[in-house]
Amino acid sequence: MSEAMVDQIRGASSVPRASSVQIVPVDPEHADARYCLAEYVAELNRRSARGFDPSVGATALPHEVRPPAGQFFVAYLHGDAIGCGAVKHNAGAPAEIKRMWIAPAARGVGLGRRLLGELEACAVAGGAHGARLETSAVLTEALALYRSAGWVEVPAFNDEPFADHWFEKATG
């Protein structure tokens, strides 16, 4: 991400802050989705002593986050992918929010909250009355966001080996 793009996100130019970012559904195997997921995994592995393998535990495989089973989103700033997140729809059960990531340089201006809102809206559109997510203790920014957005910490509801915290929220 270029310095000029970071300035635009942060409002240092005439471009509105987070409003210049578009969040759009994409196929989970699209190049931008794969780029964001690779950055997400790389960050988790840099920040934690535990190795993160996205194919183990509570997965978000392409067929699980592709309509009608779910939806994958990418956040773009002037055509560059700077974040992602996915929703897994579960008939008769809470939806799952998965693989939410914002580029480090784009954090702190409300993009994570905006992306989380899009993911929650997708869960509601899929018929869910609640959503769940799990996260690692090393992702302190994510923990703060979830708590401030009304997510409630609950006992573990899956066997995700990388997770330390599990959250739920009523969505509809």
Side-chain angles (χ1 to χ4, degrees), residues 10-72:
R10 299 206 179 279
S13 72
S14 61
V15 178
R17 294 169 62 123
S19 64
S20 58
V21 174
Q22 294 181 308
I23 300 171
V24 298
V26 302
D27 187 87
E29 294 183 298
H30 184 279
D32 293 336
R34 289 193 324 265
Y35 164 78
C36 288
L37 287 171
E39 291 295 310
Y40 167 80
V41 171
E43 180 170 353
L44 285 172
N45 285 321
R46 275 191 311 273
R47 292 176 71 170
S48 176
R50 292 182 281 182
F52 177 70
D53 180 348
S55 68
V56 174
T59 60
L61 300 173
H63 72 278
E64 296 175 309
V65 294
R66 181 182 287 130
Q71 186 69 63
F72 195 93

Side-chain angles (χ1 to χ4, degrees), residues 39-124:
E39 291 295 310
Y40 167 80
V41 171
E43 180 170 353
L44 285 172
N45 285 321
R46 275 191 311 273
R47 292 176 71 170
S48 176
R50 292 182 281 182
F52 177 70
D53 180 348
S55 68
V56 174
T59 60
L61 300 173
H63 72 278
E64 296 175 309
V65 294
R66 181 182 287 130
Q71 186 69 63
F72 195 93
F73 294 86
V74 172
Y76 290 96
L77 178 64
H78 304 300
D80 291 321
I82 62 166
C84 67
V87 175
K88 287 172 63 173
H89 300 300
N90 298 311
E96 295 174 61
I97 305 294
K98 305 298 293 179
R99 309 301 186 247
M100 190 170 148
W101 173 80
I102 299 290
R107 294 178 188 161
V109 296
L111 296 179
R113 185 170 305 279
R114 196 167 141 222
L115 177 58
L116 183 59
E118 290 282 339
L119 298 172
E120 291 172 1
C122 179
V124 170

